[in-house]
Amino acid sequence: MRKNGKFLLSGKAVMLSCLAFLLIPAGFAFASPNKPFPQHTTYTSGTIKPNNVSQSTMDSAVQSKWDSWKSAYLKPAGTGKYYVKYQSNGDTVSEAHGYGMLATVLMAGYDSNAQVYFDGLYKYYKEHPSDNNPYLMAWKQNSSFQNIEGADSATDGDMDIAYSLLLADKQWGSSGSINYLQAAKDMINAIMQSDVNQAQWTLRLGDWATDSKYKDATRPSDFMLNHMKGFQAATGDSRWNNVIDKTYTIMNSIYNNYSSSTGLLPDFVVLSGGAYKPAPADFLEGANDGNYEYNSCRTPWRITTDYLITGDNRALNQLNQMNTWIKGKVSSNPSSVKDGYKLNGSVVGSYNSGAFYAPFGVSAMTSSANQSWLNSVWSKTAGSSNEGYYEDSIKLFSMIMMSGNWWTY
């Protein structure tokens, strides 16, 4: 999530001391995890996992990637609170916060302090509400933990935080100091109220996007279909089915009309002349707003997750085309993936970013035809060094998915 101006976080992350993690509140009562890592979830029939390494080797690689991520990015924010440091200057964003809450709840069992970190992240979220809806999170804070650049929300951070709370209810129960399930429901209802355009049943860019330019725009990297199915199940709110159906419709419209040869989705989509189209250049962040760039690079992971978990095949044609295209584009070498493409497949990027190659490993899981490609992406991702918060977060979640360790509400 980048709101006003794109950032590119690359370069070696500094591995800082783990002393910060000694700041655990005295007398904290741990709950035993109900779904400790590893989980070895059975995904949809016919899908695949890497087969060039053993399951235990994959599990160990995920644990190592988590340890590295935690050391570099999960930091104390005062007594009993934590935040995710996404830039060297100490700034953070709600996108990062959502990633941190998802990762800590998924790594519980392996990491004995996971609930401490999760609860500390929750407390930080509660201290930074959006001005537009108090259950949503203000999207950006500086190193002094002060809101900057507008105390409003970003949809991706809101959705990941809400979903992590649902998982926390399954992981630890809601009878402790935090009622995770009620907190999740409060936030899910707030997302429906403020982050969903109920005139179109589309996801807004955030609770701020209500003016004529932005109200009908949406961002494919927010297309977390499986999150939304969890939101519907937890609240019984059938309106989530409207959002799910519309999201699949938009994906297929973009695929059929603009990227039939690649299956790629743009960073932003706008409603124009009654049809959904890639956003024009400089719509919000820069010249590549209508290309496959640093927002939409997450779509192979986000969208494929719903197929892997539920078997919903409404995006399968698009995903299969994308798999075929990328394998051909880079001659099945993940080191040749670049950080940006036009929807017709021409290259606009120059860097081999883990934020781009790792999610293609998740989409490769849809078919045994992609086995060798999946193996290559796994090996590349597992063997990679730190690049920066954004790349490393996406690599971590892609590895959790590829190893079969993602589980859902």
PDB file of all heavy atoms in Angstrom, residues 28 115 119 122-123 174-180:
ATOM      1  N   PHE A  28       2.566 -12.157  31.872  1.00  0.00           N
ATOM      2  CA  PHE A  28       1.716 -12.405  30.708  1.00  0.00           C
ATOM      3  C   PHE A  28       1.281 -13.863  30.682  1.00  0.00           C
ATOM      4  O   PHE A  28       2.091 -14.771  30.866  1.00  0.00           O
ATOM      5  CB  PHE A  28       2.480 -12.078  29.416  1.00  0.00           C
ATOM      6  CG  PHE A  28       1.650 -12.285  28.176  1.00  0.00           C
ATOM      7  CD1 PHE A  28       0.831 -11.282  27.716  1.00  0.00           C
ATOM      8  CD2 PHE A  28       1.682 -13.490  27.487  1.00  0.00           C
ATOM      9  CE1 PHE A  28       0.060 -11.450  26.580  1.00  0.00           C
ATOM     10  CE2 PHE A  28       0.918 -13.676  26.362  1.00  0.00           C
ATOM     11  CZ  PHE A  28       0.107 -12.645  25.910  1.00  0.00           C
ATOM     12  N   GLN A 115       1.941 -14.676  20.660  1.00  0.00           N
ATOM     13  CA  GLN A 115       0.765 -13.987  21.188  1.00  0.00           C
ATOM     14  C   GLN A 115       1.140 -12.657  21.824  1.00  0.00           C
ATOM     15  O   GLN A 115       0.366 -11.678  21.752  1.00  0.00           O
ATOM     16  CB  GLN A 115       0.009 -14.863  22.191  1.00  0.00           C
ATOM     17  CG  GLN A 115      -1.370 -14.308  22.544  1.00  0.00           C
ATOM     18  CD  GLN A 115      -2.176 -15.203  23.458  1.00  0.00           C
ATOM     19  OE1 GLN A 115      -1.668 -16.197  23.991  1.00  0.00           O
ATOM     20  NE2 GLN A 115      -3.441 -14.883  23.658  1.00  0.00           N
ATOM     21  N   ASP A 119      -0.624  -9.345  20.410  1.00  0.00           N
ATOM     22  CA  ASP A 119      -1.381  -8.438  21.276  1.00  0.00           C
ATOM     23  C   ASP A 119      -0.757  -7.042  21.298  1.00  0.00           C
ATOM     24  O   ASP A 119      -1.476  -6.030  21.367  1.00  0.00           O
ATOM     25  CB  ASP A 119      -1.463  -9.001  22.690  1.00  0.00           C
ATOM     26  CG  ASP A 119      -2.419 -10.184  22.804  1.00  0.00           C
ATOM     27  OD1 ASP A 119      -2.980 -10.595  21.762  1.00  0.00           O
ATOM     28  OD2 ASP A 119      -2.594 -10.712  23.924  1.00  0.00           O
ATOM     29  N   TYR A 122      -1.822  -5.407  18.166  1.00  0.00           N
ATOM     30  CA  TYR A 122      -3.227  -5.015  18.308  1.00  0.00           C
ATOM     31  C   TYR A 122      -3.349  -3.719  19.096  1.00  0.00           C
ATOM     32  O   TYR A 122      -4.112  -2.809  18.714  1.00  0.00           O
ATOM     33  CB  TYR A 122      -4.016  -6.135  18.998  1.00  0.00           C
ATOM     34  CG  TYR A 122      -5.435  -5.743  19.352  1.00  0.00           C
ATOM     35  CD1 TYR A 122      -6.443  -5.796  18.389  1.00  0.00           C
ATOM     36  CD2 TYR A 122      -5.761  -5.318  20.638  1.00  0.00           C
ATOM     37  CE1 TYR A 122      -7.744  -5.419  18.704  1.00  0.00           C
ATOM     38  CE2 TYR A 122      -7.056  -4.945  20.961  1.00  0.00           C
ATOM     39  CZ  TYR A 122      -8.044  -4.997  19.989  1.00  0.00           C
ATOM     40  OH  TYR A 122      -9.322  -4.621  20.307  1.00  0.00           O
ATOM     41  N   LYS A 123      -2.607  -3.590  20.183  1.00  0.00           N
ATOM     42  CA  LYS A 123      -2.678  -2.378  21.007  1.00  0.00           C
ATOM     43  C   LYS A 123      -2.214  -1.156  20.218  1.00  0.00           C
ATOM     44  O   LYS A 123      -2.777  -0.065  20.350  1.00  0.00           O
ATOM     45  CB  LYS A 123      -1.854  -2.569  22.278  1.00  0.00           C
ATOM     46  CG  LYS A 123      -2.448  -3.602  23.235  1.00  0.00           C
ATOM     47  CD  LYS A 123      -1.504  -3.899  24.393  1.00  0.00           C
ATOM     48  CE  LYS A 123      -2.070  -5.017  25.279  1.00  0.00           C
ATOM     49  NZ  LYS A 123      -1.124  -5.401  26.362  1.00  0.00           N
ATOM     50  N   SER A 174     -10.991 -16.377  22.415  1.00  0.00           N
ATOM     51  CA  SER A 174     -11.284 -14.967  22.671  1.00  0.00           C
ATOM     52  C   SER A 174     -11.690 -14.685  24.112  1.00  0.00           C
ATOM     53  O   SER A 174     -12.326 -13.679  24.401  1.00  0.00           O
ATOM     54  CB  SER A 174     -12.395 -14.494  21.719  1.00  0.00           C
ATOM     55  OG  SER A 174     -11.923 -14.440  20.393  1.00  0.00           O
ATOM     56  N   SER A 175     -11.307 -15.567  25.012  1.00  0.00           N
ATOM     57  CA  SER A 175     -11.697 -15.389  26.417  1.00  0.00           C
ATOM     58  C   SER A 175     -10.611 -14.756  27.259  1.00  0.00           C
ATOM     59  O   SER A 175     -10.762 -14.626  28.471  1.00  0.00           O
ATOM     60  CB  SER A 175     -12.086 -16.745  27.023  1.00  0.00           C
ATOM     61  OG  SER A 175     -11.000 -17.654  26.960  1.00  0.00           O
ATOM     62  N   GLY A 176      -9.501 -14.352  26.626  1.00  0.00           N
ATOM     63  CA  GLY A 176      -8.416 -13.718  27.369  1.00  0.00           C
ATOM     64  C   GLY A 176      -8.607 -12.213  27.466  1.00  0.00           C
ATOM     65  O   GLY A 176      -9.733 -11.708  27.470  1.00  0.00           O
ATOM     66  N   SER A 177      -7.497 -11.496  27.535  1.00  0.00           N
ATOM     67  CA  SER A 177      -7.568 -10.049  27.740  1.00  0.00           C
ATOM     68  C   SER A 177      -8.122  -9.308  26.526  1.00  0.00           C
ATOM     69  O   SER A 177      -8.598  -8.180  26.659  1.00  0.00           O
ATOM     70  CB  SER A 177      -6.176  -9.506  28.082  1.00  0.00           C
ATOM     71  OG  SER A 177      -5.257  -9.769  27.025  1.00  0.00           O
ATOM     72  N   ILE A 178      -8.052  -9.928  25.343  1.00  0.00           N
ATOM     73  CA  ILE A 178      -8.598  -9.332  24.124  1.00  0.00           C
ATOM     74  C   ILE A 178      -9.629 -10.282  23.539  1.00  0.00           C
ATOM     75  O   ILE A 178      -9.341 -11.468  23.327  1.00  0.00           O
ATOM     76  CB  ILE A 178      -7.497  -9.054  23.083  1.00  0.00           C
ATOM     77  CG1 ILE A 178      -6.457  -8.072  23.639  1.00  0.00           C
ATOM     78  CG2 ILE A 178      -8.096  -8.498  21.790  1.00  0.00           C
ATOM     79  CD1 ILE A 178      -5.228  -7.923  22.761  1.00  0.00           C
ATOM     80  N   ASN A 179     -10.816  -9.763  23.298  1.00  0.00           N
ATOM     81  CA  ASN A 179     -11.835 -10.557  22.615  1.00  0.00           C
ATOM     82  C   ASN A 179     -11.588 -10.431  21.119  1.00  0.00           C
ATOM     83  O   ASN A 179     -12.095  -9.532  20.451  1.00  0.00           O
ATOM     84  CB  ASN A 179     -13.233 -10.052  22.983  1.00  0.00           C
ATOM     85  CG  ASN A 179     -14.341 -10.931  22.420  1.00  0.00           C
ATOM     86  OD1 ASN A 179     -14.181 -11.561  21.378  1.00  0.00           O
ATOM     87  ND2 ASN A 179     -15.471 -10.960  23.108  1.00  0.00           N
ATOM     88  N   TYR A 180     -10.758 -11.333  20.593  1.00  0.00           N
ATOM     89  CA  TYR A 180     -10.333 -11.236  19.202  1.00  0.00           C
ATOM     90  C   TYR A 180     -11.516 -11.288  18.247  1.00  0.00           C
ATOM     91  O   TYR A 180     -11.560 -10.548  17.260  1.00  0.00           O
ATOM     92  CB  TYR A 180      -9.363 -12.370  18.859  1.00  0.00           C
ATOM     93  CG  TYR A 180      -8.109 -12.422  19.685  1.00  0.00           C
ATOM     94  CD1 TYR A 180      -7.790 -13.575  20.404  1.00  0.00           C
ATOM     95  CD2 TYR A 180      -7.228 -11.351  19.737  1.00  0.00           C
ATOM     96  CE1 TYR A 180      -6.617 -13.661  21.147  1.00  0.00           C
ATOM     97  CE2 TYR A 180      -6.050 -11.418  20.480  1.00  0.00           C
ATOM     98  CZ  TYR A 180      -5.755 -12.586  21.193  1.00  0.00           C
ATOM     99  OH  TYR A 180      -4.599 -12.664  21.933  1.00  0.00           O
TER     100      TYR A 180
END
